[in-house]
Amino acid sequence: MNTLQEISKVLLSSKKIGITYHVSPDGDAVGSALALLNGLKFLNKDAYLISKDIISENLQFLKSSSEANGKVIKPLSETDVVVVVDCGNFERISAELKEFKGSIINIDHHISNDKYGKFNYVDINAAATAEIVFELLNIMGINFDKVNEDLYEIGTCLYTSLVTDTGGFRHSNVTSRTHKIASKLKEIGVNNTYIYQSLFDNNSFEKIRLIGKSINNMELLLDRKVSLIKIPKSYGEELNIEIGDTSDIISFGLQIKGVEVSVLIKETENGSKASLRSKNEIDVRKIAEKLGGGGHVKAAGITMNGLNLEEAKDKILEQIEKELL
Ligand code: 5GP
Ligand code: MN
């Protein structure tokens, strides 16, 4: 593993820097990438975003989010470095990097990280990748010690990552460092209410109806310790919406007394995509890894190509049952 000092030196001596994240980027992926992007631009570096994904609507209030426009999906010519944030596996990067000849810098907080970079920095104690990016920006000379428009925008990206990857500072991954960074950002004027409202109080009526339909088909299984929601593609067609981020829907399962694991399975073009969340002791990353997925102890996911919703459900329940014994 490398130090952040080494990574800072590499970035400061690079001429052209691409930044990317994991496919279907969530708040931490987007917030960390845009904080680094806006930070490098603040330092007058030539930096840009690479993204196969379009950033979800509720994250489009972040500065430079419009750079994810589907046009830049691989490094531009003369790029010397590509930084990948919040992504544990090479296959899950939202950029075409197979033919890239420059250096890859991997900055992440997943336990299951393959160290695919030339430079790697993985801190599994960081609640969000943004905690690492905050430290890196400090080392590069951005100190978040005054009220200033640029620092406000970078801080807003970082705070968004912290809020989204900690469930609004409620998950057990939160440490005193998480709060110290949030406190520092608040001091320079970052607006927590604006961020919260942009993220969560900004749904279309159709999205709320999707939540209703999904909760309606929720099942309680395995002695009522597991909640399970299936979202067929037809729901999106009936409501005329894209079924994008569903992390808000899966959290309803954990709100039920006695539920230890919440499962949500979406029908996709290629089969199914499952998400798993754990309330206490059960390690859902372990369950996901057995089925080819990964993630964190309390939040994991699996891409299950070739399996329909029922087949995916059976495979997941079989593994959860073993963990519940
Ligand atoms: P989500 O359920 O929100 O898609 O993902 C939760 C966590 O699991 C995230 O940390 C994400 O990176 C990881 N994850 C989600 N889907 C997959 C997958 O198909 N493969 C792997 N290795 N990790 C995944
Ligand atoms: Mn993350």
Side-chain angles (χ1 to χ4, degrees):
M1 218 172 57
N2 300 95
T3 63
L4 287 178
Q5 280 75 11
E6 284 169 323
I7 289 174
S8 162
K9 271 190 197 142
V10 173
L11 288 175
L12 291 175
S13 62
S14 299
K15 291 211 172 59
K16 203 175 181 77
I17 303 161
I19 299 169
T20 188
Y21 35 51
H22 63 77
V23 286
S24 306
D26 58 6
D28 185 29
V30 173
S32 300
L34 295 180
L36 186 60
L37 175 66
N38 292 316
L40 287 167
K41 285 182 181 173
F42 180 64
L43 296 169
N44 294 316
K45 300 301 294 184
D46 182 2
Y48 64 94
L49 197 66
I50 312 174
S51 180
K52 290 200 230 174
D53 295 83
I54 304 289
I55 288 173
S56 68
E57 218 174 304
N58 67 338
L59 293 167
Q60 288 180 7
F61 69 103
L62 297 174
K63 188 175 176 191
S64 306
S65 57
S66 58
E67 281 199 25
N69 53 16
K71 288 186 186 137
V72 182
I73 60 167
K74 60 180 188 194
L76 301 172
S77 62
E78 295 183 28
T79 297
D80 15 35
V81 170
V82 171
V83 187
V84 184
V85 294
D86 199 34
C87 182
N89 321 94
F90 188 78
E91 301 73 38
R92 286 189 29 89
I93 301 174
S94 179
E96 193 45 71
L97 296 181
K98 288 215 172 72
E99 283 157 24
F100 179 56
K101 298 284 188 302
S103 310
I104 293 177
I105 298 179
N106 160 19
I107 297 177
D108 185 31
H109 68 144
H110 289 89
I111 305 174
S112 47
N113 185 294
D114 297 340
K115 312 277 165 60
Y116 51 80
K118 177 172 180 200
F119 302 93
N120 299 284
Y121 188 87
V122 181
D123 178 0
I124 61 166
N125 295 313
T129 303
E131 289 191 14
I132 308 168
V133 172
F134 175 83
E135 213 173 312
L136 177 62
L137 291 173
N138 273 276
I139 293 167
M140 290 198 294
I142 301 179
N143 297 128
F144 299 95
D145 51 5
K146 54 180 176 289
V147 177
N148 147 319
E149 185 64 28
D150 293 305
L151 295 184
Y152 168 84
E153 297 289 1
I154 300 166
T156 299
C157 295
L158 293 169
Y159 196 95
T160 295
S161 292
L162 298 183
V163 171
T164 52
D165 251 22
T166 61
F169 301 99
R170 77 174 181 276
H171 295 331
S172 55
N173 56 359
V174 171
T175 64
S176 63
R177 174 173 69 173
T178 319
H179 283 298
K180 275 181 194 146
I181 297 171
S183 161
K184 191 104 181 146
L185 299 175
K186 181 78 183 165
E187 270 170 27
I188 61 153
V190 164
N191 187 336
N192 57 299
T193 307
Y194 165 68
I195 293 172
Y196 186 92
Q197 289 184 352
S198 303
L199 288 170
F200 306 117
D201 296 341
N202 221 349
N203 288 299
S204 65
F205 181 51
E206 289 71 24
K207 174 64 193 271
I208 300 299
R209 292 194 59 209
L210 173 67
I211 296 174
K213 268 176 102 72
S214 306
I215 292 176
N216 242 336
N217 88 30
M218 185 193 283
E219 301 171 85
L220 283 190
L221 304 155
L222 298 176
D223 215 12
R224 299 171 75 87
K225 289 196 172 79
V226 177
S227 65
L228 188 136
I229 288 174
K230 293 186 296 258
I231 304 188
K233 278 198 289 198
S234 61
Y235 280 14
E237 287 150 18
E238 284 161 31
L239 294 168
N240 198 20
I241 57 165
E242 281 287 319
I243 297 174
D245 182 34
T246 45
S247 46
D248 46 355
I249 303 181
I250 194 173
S251 70
F252 281 100
L254 284 190
Q255 289 179 29
I256 300 164
K257 191 155 82 178
V259 164
E260 288 296 326
V261 178
S262 176
V263 182
L264 183 148
I265 316 172
K266 284 187 272 200
E267 186 184 2
T268 64
E269 288 303 317
N270 305 316
S272 301
K273 164 75 175 68
S275 291
L276 306 172
R277 300 289 183 269
S278 163
K279 195 185 279 175
N280 296 303
E281 309 301 328
I282 293 173
D283 183 348
V284 286
R285 175 193 58 101
K286 204 166 128 195
I287 295 166
E289 278 182 359
K290 283 192 185 145
L291 298 168
H296 306 280
V297 174
K298 292 194 172 175
I302 320 155
T303 306
M304 307 178 88
N305 291 339
L307 296 185
N308 66 30
L309 291 174
E310 282 305 320
E311 291 164 341
K313 170 183 161 178
D314 290 345
K315 281 208 178 309
I316 293 167
L317 286 175
E318 192 186 324
Q319 293 304 329
I320 296 178
E321 192 166 16
K322 286 185 194 156
E323 288 303 309
L324 283 173
L325 289 176

